């Protein structure tokens, strides 16, 4: 039986094939020790972040063997240590690589011929002897010495950082941010690293600090830990947190006493690193009963509250519109009579400066928006339509006949200033702003958007409060409704009943807590072509995976041949991990739907022409935003780039940007917010129990425009419907609006 491939290698770096300046991702030829240097077959390919390395160095590598479809076996580096070469062969290669200005191959050979294995000591300690080498005078010797010292400092810095558990990719971020001061910052202010560098969190900084000898109860550690605790809670959706609960949470995380944490919270409040709010309406509040906020969350919610007050205080800028007559005109144009609630919603939007329209699928939101836009256009009103995602904006434009854009594009991000061009000082040139899918608005985006609304303009937020809340922190739509300060129309009558839409009726049944299973079949052959929602029973995770794959590759092309299995079908999974999780589904579906294309390996996957991909972060330079879905058009293995098309626009991604993309044959239900797809397939298993909630299932089903197929265990469906206790988000927006309202 063959022995397993080693997870560590030691040898000489022979040649750098590819190097990314931004993240130091490297592809290189490497010659392991104890092999013949002249044997080309002895060289192996290594890939990974290798900051500061040069040809000729001896490297000690830790990692794993992988296989690239095009280039074969590769060693993927997870960690490494480097040493200056000790042999004449290595020294000659190292100096001849061009790393030291003034030393090319010719002078490298001359210097090594003169000093042999003593070369590096001479460069460091006796650089004057360089003038003994033919062709090197005083000026060139001084230049070589300066360059050598700079390179040595850089090497020592990388070695120092890795000694304290900093990974190669984190080394790159530290050096790029702090430059030559990185070592000093790390030794004196290790927690500053967590505050200032994206991707290096408190836990990494804390490990470094403890390795450097920082005490467990040192004030810098406690302060950083408290702020980190609030940032962690922010990721769970909270913009604020009760002080006594934060003390307990932080003390547990930091393994220290509540008294020490309480003292440091007071210090952070005094320096305004934390904002404290006393309980509303309580004359003598108990210690720890108030809420604490990070300053940026406090500012964001305060700005939202200010706009609520401003819009209510300033008169309308619309031309005179007789609301009742306008509604009658819109009904005649539509060719049918509106329901009274729909009339109320249109009248309210025309008369109230700020209003909210909410309701589930099939309750007539589209009819209202189409009528409203037609009325405003007829009155020559400047109307703008926006939504948080590109797909939601596209759907808004299609259903209303107006032009719609994403919120980010509407506000125009300016990379130079790090903010939006449209803001409180430079408001949008609009008379009426309609924002769809408003349940997706987190506090920071809502703040930026509302500040850009002119004082005399009207604002209408449209959303479904039963969907999942925003990915970012906050609960803006629900909070604004709860204030009672913003007029709300709640649509409750289902108008699509006559179509017998299984998607609509099932969604409303879920909201009502009805756990009755939709029409179910045990195999795919039982699905009826006319049915728009079917439950396919799966016995376990493997059966679920097989049936989801068969749906995408065989069933949809055969029975619903007008749908493209890649472009029109979207798999939405509750979780990332597991056999039927997003990650494994993507690997399986890529192999099934796009098996033959030659691809380019990235950190998370191999990308092939034809692959569906999703953007994971906002990239204002590319005008791409978190959640945008595109298609890989071409890959360039030589230059390490890929071209992908998003909404008709082609973008090139360098290797350093591959972390922004993942395969999107399957995505999480959270990522699908604000989007609709012709066909939605939902794996649903008891193993997803941690994520099984009513609003999650409701959101997934309402993403399907034409067809929805749930594949899974009936018990999991019941678990999700019965679990209506979605986690309560703690915010301070309602209280801020109440204070301004007097």
């Amino acid at each position: 039986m063959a022995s397993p491939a080693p997870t560590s290698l030691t040898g000489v770096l022979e040649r750098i094939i590819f190097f990314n300046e931004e993240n130091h991702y490297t592809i290189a030829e490497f010659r392991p020790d104890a092999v013949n240097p002249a044997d080309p077959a002895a060289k192996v390919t290594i890939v990974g972040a290798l900051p500061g390395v040069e040809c000729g160095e001896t490297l000690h590598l830790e990692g794993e063997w992988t296989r690239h479809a095009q280039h074969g076996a590769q060693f993927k580096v997870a960690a490494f240590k480097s040493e200056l070469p000790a042999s004449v062969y290595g020294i000659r290669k190292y100096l001849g690589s061009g790393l030291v200005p003034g030393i090319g191959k010719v002078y490298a050979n001359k210097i090594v011929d003169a000093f042999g294995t003593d070369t590096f000591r001479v460069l460091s300690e006796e650089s004057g002897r360089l003038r003994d080498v033919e062709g090197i005078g005083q000026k060139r010797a001084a230049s070589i010495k300066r360059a050598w010292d700079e390179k040595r400092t850089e090497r020592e810095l990388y070695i120092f950082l890795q000694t304290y558990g900093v990974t190669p990719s984190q080394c790159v971020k530290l050096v790029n941010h702090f430059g030559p001061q990185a070592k000093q910052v790390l030794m004196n202010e290790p927690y500053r690293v967590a505050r200032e560098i994206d991707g290096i969190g408190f836990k990494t900084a804390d490990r470094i600090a403890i390795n450097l000898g920082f005490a467990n109860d040192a004030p810098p550690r406690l302060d950083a830990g408290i702020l980190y605790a609030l940032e962690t809670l922010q990721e769970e959706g909270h913009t604020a947190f009760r002080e006594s609960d934060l003390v307990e949470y932080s003390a547990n995380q930091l393994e220290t006493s509540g008294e020490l944490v309480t003292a440091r919270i007071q210090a952070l409040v005094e320096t305004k690193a934390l904002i404290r709010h006393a309980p509303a309406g309580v004359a003598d509040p108990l210690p720890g009963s108030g809420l604490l906020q990070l300053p940026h969350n406090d500012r964001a919610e305060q700005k939202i509250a200010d706009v609520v007050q401003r819009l209510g205080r300033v008169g309308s800028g619309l031309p005179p519109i007789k609301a009742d007559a306008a509604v009658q005109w819109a009904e005649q144009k539509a060719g049918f009579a509106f329901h009274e609630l729909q009339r109320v919603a249109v009248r309210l939007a025309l008369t109230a400066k700020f209003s909210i329209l909410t309701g589930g699928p099939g309750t007539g939101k589209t009819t209202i928006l189409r009528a409203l836009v037609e009325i405003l256009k007829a009155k020559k009103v400047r109307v703008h339509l926006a939504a948080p995602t590109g797909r939601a904006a596209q759907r808004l434009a299609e259903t209303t006949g107006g032009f719609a854009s994403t919120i980010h594009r509407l506000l125009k991000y300016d990379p130079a200033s790090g903010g939006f061009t449209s803001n409180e000082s430079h408001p949008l040139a609009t008379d009426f702003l309609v924002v769809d899918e408003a349940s997706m608005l987190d506090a920071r985006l809502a703040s930026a958007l509302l500040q850009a609304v002119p004082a005399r303009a009207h604002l209408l937020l449209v959303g479904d409060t039963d969907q999942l809340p925003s990915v970012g922190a906050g609960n803006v739509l629900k909070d604004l409704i709860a204030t009672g300060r913003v007029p709300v129309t709640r649509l409750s009558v289902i108008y699509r009943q006559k179509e017998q839409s299984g998607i609509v009726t099932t969604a409303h049944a879920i909201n009502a807590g009805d756990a009755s299973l939709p029409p179910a079949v045990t195999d795919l052959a039982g699905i009826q072509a006319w049915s728009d929602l079917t439950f396919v029973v799966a016995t376990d995770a493997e059966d679920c995976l097989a049936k989801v794959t068969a749906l995408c590759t065989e069933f949809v092309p055969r029975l619903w041949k007008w749908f493209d299995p890649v472009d029109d079908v979207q798999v939405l999974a509750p979780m990332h991990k597991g056999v039927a999780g997003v990650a494994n589904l993507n690997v399986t579906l890529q192999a099934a739907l796009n098996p033959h294309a030659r691809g380019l390996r990235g950190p998370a996957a191999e990308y092939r022409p034809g692959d569906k991909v999703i953007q994971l972060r906002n990239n204002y330079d590319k005008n791409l935003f978190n959640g945008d879905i595109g298609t890989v058009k071409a890959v360039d293995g030589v230059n390490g780039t890929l071209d992908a098309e998003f909404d008709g626009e082609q973008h090139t991604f360098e290797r350093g940007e591959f972390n922004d993309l993942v395969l999107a044959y399957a995505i999480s239900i959270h990522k699908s917010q604000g989007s609709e797809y012709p066909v939605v397939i939902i794996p649903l298993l008891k193993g997803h129990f941690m994520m099984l909630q009513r609003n999650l299932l409701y959101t997934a089903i309402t993403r399907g425009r034409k067809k929805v197929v749930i594949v899974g265990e009936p018990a999991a469906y019941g678990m999700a419907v019965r679990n209506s206790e979605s986690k309560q988000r703690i915010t301070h927006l309602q209280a801020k609006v109440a204070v301004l309202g007097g």
Side-chain angles (χ1 to χ4, degrees):
M1 185 175 177
S3 58
T7 55
S8 61
L9 290 175
T10 297
V12 175
L13 185 66
E14 289 281 316
R15 181 168 74 96
I16 294 175
I17 300 169
F18 171 83
F19 179 74
N20 184 300
E21 290 284 351
E22 184 180 339
N23 62 6
H24 292 213
Y25 181 87
T26 307
I27 302 173
E29 281 184 359
F30 181 78
R31 179 172 56 81
D33 285 351
V35 298
N36 181 2
D39 180 7
K43 296 175 184 176
V44 299
T45 301
I46 60 173
V47 297
L50 295 168
V53 300
E54 298 292 347
C55 294
E57 285 188 12
T58 295
L59 301 182
H60 303 277
L61 309 177
E62 300 288 335
E64 61 179 356
W65 287 99
T66 60
R67 176 159 291 277
H68 188 278
Q70 184 177 354
H71 303 294
Q74 296 180 339
F75 190 80
K76 186 177 180 181
V77 179
F80 77 97
K81 292 181 180 178
S82 66
E83 297 175 0
L84 286 173
S87 68
V88 169
Y89 168 82
I91 295 170
R92 199 182 300 276
K93 197 165 194 66
Y94 184 80
L95 284 185
S97 64
L99 81 157
V100 182
I103 304 181
K105 283 189 177 181
V106 172
Y107 280 108
N109 286 331
K110 287 183 177 182
I111 292 170
V112 176
D113 286 343
F115 305 117
T117 56
D118 208 25
T119 296
F120 292 148
R121 190 191 63 77
V122 169
L123 288 170
S124 299
E125 301 172 11
E126 301 177 21
S127 58
R129 292 177 60 190
L130 288 171
R131 284 178 286 172
D132 296 339
V133 177
E134 182 186 352
I136 297 181
Q138 183 175 354
K139 188 175 180 181
R140 184 183 291 272
S143 174
I144 290 172
K145 171 63 173 171
R146 276 196 308 274
W148 174 255
D149 286 346
E150 287 174 8
K151 189 66 186 176
R152 184 178 62 179
T153 301
E154 181 183 320
R155 271 183 52 80
E156 289 172 350
L157 177 58
Y158 283 123
I159 291 169
F160 168 81
L161 293 173
Q162 290 188 68
T163 300
Y164 288 99
V166 184
T167 68
S169 59
Q170 289 170 338
C171 285
V172 175
K173 290 181 178 179
L174 278 166
V175 174
N176 287 347
H177 187 78
F178 294 115
Q181 304 303 312
K183 181 177 179 180
Q184 183 179 342
V185 169
L186 199 64
M187 293 191 73
N188 298 325
E189 304 174 88
Y191 295 102
R192 181 179 163 193
V193 170
R195 290 198 308 273
E196 296 186 21
I197 301 183
D198 186 36
I200 300 182
F202 169 79
K203 288 185 178 179
T204 301
D206 196 37
R207 185 182 70 242
I208 295 167
I210 289 171
N211 283 339
L212 286 165
F214 273 69
N216 194 58
D217 58 356
R221 179 175 186 267
L222 298 181
D223 291 355
I226 292 164
L227 296 176
Y228 171 71
L230 268 180
E231 287 163 1
T232 302
L233 293 163
Q234 176 182 275
E235 291 172 7
E236 297 177 12
H238 306 294
T239 60
F241 214 66
R242 185 180 168 92
E243 184 169 344
S244 58
D245 293 335
L246 181 65
V247 169
E248 182 181 351
Y249 182 91
S250 301
N252 182 53
Q253 294 291 311
L254 293 165
E255 298 180 347
T256 189
S257 71
E259 290 77 12
L260 286 173
V261 171
T262 299
R264 292 317 304 166
I265 285 176
Q266 180 59 35
L268 289 168
V269 168
E270 289 171 1
T271 60
K272 294 185 168 49
L274 284 180
I275 309 299
R276 179 188 279 139
H277 300 286
V282 180
D284 189 19
L286 294 171
S289 61
L291 293 179
L292 290 169
Q293 287 192 287
L294 294 168
H296 66 260
N297 285 327
D298 177 63
R299 285 193 301 270
E301 290 184 341
Q302 188 60 56
K303 289 292 185 182
I304 294 170
D306 291 344
V307 174
V308 173
Q309 184 189 48
R310 187 184 75 210
L311 290 176
R313 190 178 63 237
V314 179
S316 171
L318 297 185
I321 299 176
K322 294 179 180 177
D324 289 335
V327 171
Q328 289 178 5
W329 174 83
E331 286 180 313
Q332 291 170 358
K333 197 164 172 45
F336 60 89
F338 298 165
H339 186 277
E340 183 54 32
L341 270 178
Q342 293 176 312
R343 295 190 190 104
V344 167
V346 176
R347 283 195 295 264
L348 188 60
L350 292 172
T351 54
K353 290 286 301 304
F354 187 3
S355 61
I356 292 172
L357 174 63
T358 183
T363 55
K365 295 193 297 292
T366 297
T367 298
I368 294 165
L369 292 180
R370 188 184 298 119
L372 181 63
V373 170
E374 287 177 346
I375 291 168
L376 294 171
K377 281 184 173 179
K379 288 292 185 177
K380 309 297 184 189
V381 171
R382 296 176 300 175
V383 58
H384 284 73
L385 309 173
T389 68
R391 283 175 179 259
Q394 183 180 356
R395 190 173 70 253
L396 182 60
E398 290 168 354
T399 56
T400 62
F403 173 77
S405 68
T406 64
I407 293 169
H408 288 89
R409 290 186 177 97
L410 177 71
L411 299 179
K412 297 185 179 66
Y413 185 79
D414 177 19
S417 65
F420 292 108
T421 301
S422 295
N423 50 43
E424 201 167 13
S425 303
H426 301 90
L428 294 164
T430 190
D431 301 313
F432 204 115
L433 175 61
V434 177
V435 181
D436 199 8
E437 297 289 353
S439 62
M440 294 181 66
L441 289 174
D442 60 49
R444 297 182 78 174
L445 183 58
S447 172
L449 176 67
L450 267 62
Q451 286 180 71
V453 177
R456 296 179 64 81
H458 283 232
L459 173 63
L460 173 64
L461 299 183
V462 184
D464 184 349
T465 54
D466 292 316
Q467 287 186 27
L468 288 168
S470 59
V471 175
N475 212 4
V476 176
L477 187 63
K478 281 188 175 180
D479 282 350
L480 288 173
I481 291 172
T483 64
R485 290 284 311 283
V486 183
V488 179
T489 304
R490 298 177 187 271
L491 303 175
S492 54
V493 179
I494 303 173
Y495 298 98
R496 283 196 239 165
Q497 282 282 53
K498 63 179 184 291
E499 301 174 16
Q500 290 299 305
S501 166
I503 295 172
V504 172
T505 54
T506 301
H508 285 275
I510 289 169
N511 257 352
D514 182 353
S516 303
L517 200 66
V521 298
T522 55
D523 58 63
L524 301 183
I527 299 178
Q528 301 296 319
W530 49 264
S531 176
D532 70 341
L533 188 142
T534 307
F535 193 104
V536 178
V537 176
T539 55
D540 54 28
E542 285 74 16
D543 186 37
C544 176
L545 177 65
K547 285 176 175 171
V548 168
T549 306
L551 274 167
C552 295
T553 57
E554 302 169 26
F555 182 87
V556 170
R558 186 177 73 249
L559 196 63
W560 297 327
K561 34 184 85 121
W562 53 91
F563 294 128
D564 182 274
V566 175
D567 293 338
D568 296 329
V569 178
Q570 187 60 61
V571 178
L572 303 179
M575 294 180 68
H576 283 273
K577 295 179 179 179
V579 173
V582 171
N584 193 51
L585 280 162
N586 271 317
V587 172
T588 305
L589 291 172
Q590 182 192 45
L593 293 168
N594 194 18
H596 304 301
R598 182 171 285 182
L600 187 64
R601 171 62 61 179
E606 179 177 308
Y607 303 104
R608 305 168 183 171
D611 277 340
K612 186 194 289 190
V613 291
I614 186 169
Q615 176 79 8
L616 294 181
R617 72 174 184 90
N618 293 340
N619 185 323
Y620 297 101
D621 294 330
K622 283 185 165 60
N623 211 22
L624 288 175
F625 302 99
N626 186 0
D628 285 353
I629 289 180
T631 304
V632 176
K633 292 298 182 182
V635 297
D636 183 342
V638 175
N639 296 308
T641 62
L642 69 81
D643 294 329
E645 185 177 291
F646 292 81
D647 292 329
E649 294 182 8
Q650 194 143 310
H651 303 271
T652 297
F653 290 79
E654 306 287 339
R655 233 181 239 281
E657 299 172 311
F658 284 7
N659 279 325
D660 293 353
L661 297 175
V662 292
L663 295 174
Y665 297 98
I667 62 174
S668 69
I669 296 170
H670 283 84
K671 280 287 185 189
S672 75
Q673 286 176 264
S675 297
E676 275 189 356
Y677 314 93
V679 181
V680 163
I681 299 170
I682 307 165
L684 197 68
L685 299 165
K686 288 184 291 185
H688 298 146
F689 70 92
M690 289 181 65
M691 299 298 294
L692 293 181
Q693 293 179 171
R694 184 181 295 176
N695 60 358
L696 185 90
L697 181 58
Y698 174 83
T699 299
I701 285 175
T702 54
R703 299 310 90 203
R705 192 160 62 242
K706 298 290 186 182
K707 307 286 182 184
V708 172
V709 183
I710 306 170
V711 183
E713 297 165 314
Y717 185 90
M719 288 167 65
V721 175
R722 285 188 288 271
N723 182 12
S724 61
E725 300 300 319
S726 56
K727 193 166 184 181
Q728 185 69 33
R729 293 189 168 192
I730 303 170
T731 68
H732 194 246
L733 178 57
Q734 286 187 57
K736 286 180 169 71
V737 174
V739 168
L740 288 177

